[in-house]
Amino acid sequence: MKTVWEKYNAKAMKDVMAVSEDYKNFLNAAKTEREAVDETIRLARKEGFKEFKEVRKVKAGDKIYFNNRGKSIALFVIGKKPMEDGLNILGAHIDSPRIDLKQNPLYEDNGLVLMDTHYYGGIKKYQWVALPLAMHGVVCKKDGKTIKVAIGEDEKDPVVEISDLLIHLSRDQMAKTGAKVVEGEDLNALVGSIPVKEKDEKEEPVKKNILKILKEEYDIEEEDFISAELELVPAGKARDLGLDRSLVMAYGHDDRICAYTSLRAILESKEPERTSACILTDKEEIGSMGATGAQSAFFENCVAELLAKTDSFDGLKLRHCLERSCMLSSDVSAGFDPNYPSVNEPKNAAYLGKGISFNKFTGSGGKGGSSDATPEYIAKIRRILDKNKIVYQFSELGRVDQGGGGTIAYILANKNMDVIDAGIAVQNMHAPYEVASKGDIYEAYQAYKIFLKEMA
Ligand code: MN
Ligand code: MN
């Protein structure tokens, strides 16, 4: 089969398009990791999932989730077999590259008020200028109140912007290397220009006016930025791309595209043999560290909690459960781009429209930093995919020694379970808008469902 599109009849095409409509809605609601957790909970509760603390005893068929600080989440559908026999786990990350506000962001310069930022994740900084940006996040007040912020998505909302230099005066800038064309400390977002009306306000009158607006409209004071988590992301909605509407262009495919398809698969997991799990994690773009990253004890703790409510708790059962588990660690891979063919080795590149994409290993150089799936495990995966006519491809991220990248795969593999990287090919990964194929989204979603049901 050349592409996914040859597989679909008219009815299947409707399904493919419908899944991507739902995915676009998810993306529009989930532009940060926190919003992704909120939206996941909303969708999970609709399907009968309960938070762990609402559950007294854990039994087969139960649907349970754990919310970690509103920034990462683990969902489980308890299987008929004992959990000690292992889980079928889907994993993806819900953080995406973006521009975070600094803790002391606000300043006035020649009648303009700006907010200083610190970018998050690997970005080509020059791609993030001269674009409408929305501000999402939370401001936590000393009194314990949390203010949720989402400004710039409604068409009537204002947006903010990081400026770029006009071409007419860019002789020096254009001679710089790409990494220096726009530098990190110059990523300052323009947020206002009207001075406050009071006559005696001579010092920073425009900043005072912005502070007044923040206080009146959001109950935010300048010091509150210290305990805020505010993220600038491209404003606007996910869109169909292509005259045939075969692709989706959106902010945050990496990696909400795998998060959404994995989530949908577990929401549809009904009375599985082996317990289904789905972990949607934070901080992947900066190394998966911290309480909400994949390296956290969170997932293991969730499994221990569940085991304790099924049988008498016993540390060895947790060890057995983890080492007998199988995982698809799903993240985007680099889709072959006809504009830049030279970075790929064509036999082992991932192509848009050729189905879910597996990577035996990731890493860089001589596979450095990768967990490298075993061929025994890959053979099992091939068996269930072929049986269910899933369209899939095996690829590497670029030519040998061209670069590389890592995922959360090795972190779970370090717990002594079988893990392979799976996911969806995208173009212009980490740009403000990324591109993916609706056919690949559909195949990934189907593959995840089958993995949860049939992997043994
Ligand atoms: Mn990723
Ligand atoms: Mn990434």
Side-chain angles (χ1 to χ4, degrees):
M1 189 167 309
K2 283 185 82 176
T3 71
V4 289
W5 302 109
E6 285 130 60
K7 170 177 156 181
Y8 305 138
N9 59 21
K11 186 180 166 292
M13 276 296 271
K14 268 196 178 160
D15 241 25
V16 170
M17 295 293 162
V19 168
S20 273
E21 280 312 300
D22 293 342
Y23 170 51
K24 286 190 290 178
N25 290 333
F26 178 82
L27 279 181
N28 295 340
K31 298 193 82 165
T32 66
E33 63 282 11
R34 283 177 189 271
E35 291 174 357
V37 167
D38 289 347
E39 186 63 6
T40 295
I41 291 172
R42 192 183 71 79
L43 295 171
R45 293 197 76 94
K46 255 174 49 181
E47 295 299 325
F49 279 74
K50 289 198 172 120
E51 187 161 16
F52 179 69
K53 59 191 176 200
E54 303 168 57
V55 176
R56 284 167 165 257
K57 188 95 183 116
V58 171
K59 56 184 190 311
D62 282 357
K63 301 168 172 186
I64 298 164
Y65 69 88
F66 295 80
N67 174 357
N68 188 8
R69 295 168 167 83
K71 288 171 69 74
S72 69
I73 186 165
L75 303 102
F76 296 84
V77 179
I78 308 302
K80 292 173 195 150
K81 289 186 176 168
M83 284 183 66
E84 193 181 353
D85 290 359
L87 317 170
N88 289 344
I89 307 169
L90 301 173
H93 69 92
I94 48 177
D95 61 318
S96 298
R98 58 176 191 253
I99 315 269
D100 287 342
L101 292 192
K102 286 190 182 180
Q103 263 38 69
N104 301 299
L106 266 180
Y107 67 99
E108 180 169 341
D109 190 341
N110 284 287
L112 300 178
V113 171
L114 297 103
M115 284 186 174
D116 207 335
T117 69
H118 197 138
Y119 66 98
Y120 173 97
I123 60 168
K124 290 179 168 180
K125 289 159 213 127
Y126 64 77
Q127 293 179 331
W128 289 73
V129 295
L131 276 175
L133 297 171
M135 191 186 298
H136 290 246
V138 293
V139 180
C140 298
K141 307 277 287 183
K142 278 193 289 187
D143 64 6
K145 200 170 70 176
T146 294
I147 300 160
K148 282 193 187 181
V149 176
I151 309 165
E153 299 299 345
D154 191 283
E155 275 175 39
K156 292 185 191 118
D157 279 358
V159 293
V160 302
E161 180 236 26
I162 298 167
S163 65
D164 194 4
L165 196 54
L166 64 169
I167 184 68
H168 314 70
L169 297 177
S170 290
R171 193 174 294 162
D172 290 348
Q173 187 198 36
M174 296 301 278
K176 292 179 182 174
T177 58
K180 299 261 178 189
V181 166
V182 173
E183 298 202 47
E185 206 50 80
D186 297 333
L187 296 174
N188 305 312
L190 178 60
V191 301
S193 62
I194 301 177
V196 77
K197 283 278 185 285
E198 284 89 71
K199 277 198 204 79
D200 46 349
E201 289 295 353
K202 299 220 170 62
E203 292 269 303
E204 302 190 308
V206 186
K207 178 176 157 184
K208 289 210 169 74
N209 193 41
I210 290 294
L211 285 171
K212 205 169 143 217
I213 291 166
L214 286 170
K215 179 70 189 162
E216 284 170 8
E217 292 188 21
Y218 306 97
D219 191 27
I220 299 169
E221 320 222 21
E222 187 167 14
E223 301 76 51
D224 294 333
F225 283 110
I226 293 172
S227 50
E229 190 172 78
L230 293 168
E231 310 177 5
L232 303 184
V233 299
K237 294 190 158 85
R239 306 283 296 266
D240 284 347
L241 178 77
L243 303 182
D244 58 3
R245 297 181 179 271
S246 58
L247 307 142
V248 179
M249 182 171 208
Y251 166 66
H253 279 323
D254 181 5
D255 183 34
R256 295 180 197 125
I257 199 167
C258 297
Y260 176 74
T261 43
S262 295
L263 170 64
R264 191 160 167 148
I266 196 164
L267 295 186
E268 293 173 18
S269 173
K270 301 261 148 59
E271 296 174 15
E273 290 295 317
R274 272 156 71 90
T275 294
S276 300
C278 174
I279 172 166
L280 304 180
T281 184
D282 180 30
K283 297 281 174 279
E284 193 277 341
E285 297 295 353
I286 59 169
S288 298
M289 303 297 204
T292 57
Q295 311 225 32
S296 158
F298 169 61
F299 182 70
E300 216 168 309
N301 290 352
C302 294
V303 178
E305 295 277 12
L306 289 173
L307 277 166
K309 283 202 184 177
T310 42
D311 307 290
S312 57
F313 181 73
D314 154 358
L316 198 57
K317 279 187 180 158
L318 174 62
R319 301 292 134 207
H320 287 161
C321 173
L322 292 172
E323 73 184 8
R324 293 168 187 168
S325 290
C326 296
M327 184 190 193
L328 296 183
S329 163
S330 292
D331 208 339
V332 293
S333 55
F336 176 85
D337 182 345
N339 286 337
Y340 301 95
S342 66
V343 299
N344 287 110
E345 184 273 284
K347 298 188 301 305
N348 290 284
Y351 294 88
L352 268 64
K354 292 201 175 178
I356 179 172
S357 175
F358 289 86
N359 299 154
K360 183 174 184 295
F361 51 85
T362 59
S364 60
K367 307 189 181 182
S370 170
S371 51
D372 202 359
T374 64
E376 290 87 348
Y377 183 45
I378 296 176
K380 278 193 193 174
I381 288 172
R382 284 177 60 207
R383 188 155 65 230
I384 60 170
L385 294 176
D386 285 337
K387 189 181 130 210
N388 291 283
K389 301 194 166 55
I390 300 294
V391 184
Y392 63 94
Q393 50 187 330
F394 270 78
S395 65
E396 295 190 20
L397 193 127
R399 293 176 72 83
V400 177
D401 287 338
Q402 183 68 39
T407 65
I408 62 168
Y410 75 94
I411 300 162
L412 279 294
N414 284 352
K415 300 189 193 296
N416 194 22
M417 66 177 74
D418 278 314
V419 183
I420 185 167
D421 275 289
I424 295 167
V426 304
Q427 278 189 1
N428 27 295
M429 194 189 296
H430 287 204
Y433 292 92
E434 302 169 317
V435 173
S437 162
K438 292 182 180 179
D440 297 339
I441 294 168
Y442 190 75
E443 291 303 305
Y445 154 58
Q446 297 300 326
Y448 298 153
K449 278 206 294 190
I450 282 153
F451 175 84
L452 291 181
K453 192 163 167 233
E454 299 189 14
M455 180 49 73

